[in-house]
């Protein structure tokens, strides 16, 4: 169905994940996956971190952040990182809380990316050698959210 005039300006801007320890999550998303922290918004009881892959000539700023696509928002509710009773968030891939599945990134070379993740000690949910789909992998972020790793050219 073609987009209508009413929906012509709609974009998928971002998705949000709650995180227990923002420092561990920021390290994972910036150093392991190569995303850029584009903005940070601090409030009394929570902090929002907005990350993206910066590929264009224009940097993402607080002013233009909502005009682009492909943003990952990490929400940290203050205190979770040091609360021994905090059990973590549901990743969406196990009961209770099944629903959300994963985020996905594409890479030029899945084998090389997975070898790099291995060398960095990243946890895998599914390695390239597991299951029937030998061209995709799933890694886990510090909170147990799944990140699918796909080749840039992929036919379903």
């Amino acid at each position: 169905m073609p987009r209508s005039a009413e929906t012509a300006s709609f974009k998928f801007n971002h998705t949000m994940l709650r995180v227990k320890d923002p420092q561990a999550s920021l390290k994972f998303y910036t150093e392991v996956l190569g995303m850029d922290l584009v903005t940070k918004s601090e409030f009394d009881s929570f902090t929002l971190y907005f990350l993206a892959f910066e590929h264009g000539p224009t940097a993402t700023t607080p002013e233009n952040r909502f005009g682009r696509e492909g943003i990952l928002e990490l929400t940290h509710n203050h205190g979770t990182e040091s609360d021994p009773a905090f059990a973590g968030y549901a990743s969406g891939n196990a009961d209770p809380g099944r629903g959300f599945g994963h985020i996905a990134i594409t890479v030029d070379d899945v084998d090389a990316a997975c070898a790099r993740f291995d060398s960095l000690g990243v946890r895998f949910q599914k390695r390239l050698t597991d299951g029937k789909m030998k061209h995709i992998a799933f890694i886990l972020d510090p909170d147990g959210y799944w990140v699918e790793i796909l080749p840039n050219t992929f036919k379903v």
Side-chain angles (χ1 to χ4, degrees), residues 8-74:
S9 67
F10 291 13
K11 296 178 185 176
F12 183 83
N13 177 253
H14 71 271
T15 194
M16 184 273 280
L17 301 175
R18 289 181 179 86
V19 298
K20 176 180 179 177
D21 180 350
Q23 298 315 312
S25 294
L26 288 170
K27 183 176 181 174
F28 175 83
Y29 285 101
T30 61
E31 294 179 19
V32 173
L33 293 185
M35 297 181 86
D36 296 296
L37 176 62
V38 295
T39 61
K40 175 182 173 182
S41 300
E42 295 184 69
F43 299 91
D44 289 339
S45 61
F46 64 95
T47 301
L48 307 176
Y49 302 90
F50 293 89
L51 298 106
F53 291 105
E54 294 280 35
H55 296 293
T58 304
T60 304
T61 66
E63 294 77 27
N64 68 14
R65 172 180 75 215
F66 295 112
R68 66 161 288 173
E69 296 180 283
I71 301 276
L72 177 63
E73 174 188 344
L74 302 180

Side-chain angles (χ1 to χ4, degrees), residues 83-143:
D83 181 354
F86 183 73
Y89 294 108
S91 72
N93 289 296
D95 290 322
R98 191 176 298 272
F100 177 80
H102 62 272
I103 62 172
I105 64 165
T106 58
V107 298
D108 288 338
D109 184 334
V110 177
D111 290 303
C114 288
R116 181 175 172 276
F117 299 146
D118 244 342
S119 74
L120 295 172
V122 173
R123 295 180 302 151
F124 280 79
Q125 178 64 35
K126 180 209 172 291
R127 293 181 177 276
L128 291 172
T129 55
D130 298 339
K132 294 179 182 176
M133 299 182 80
K134 304 294 186 191
H135 53 283
I136 65 170
F138 284 89
I139 59 175
L140 298 171
D141 87 348
D143 288 282

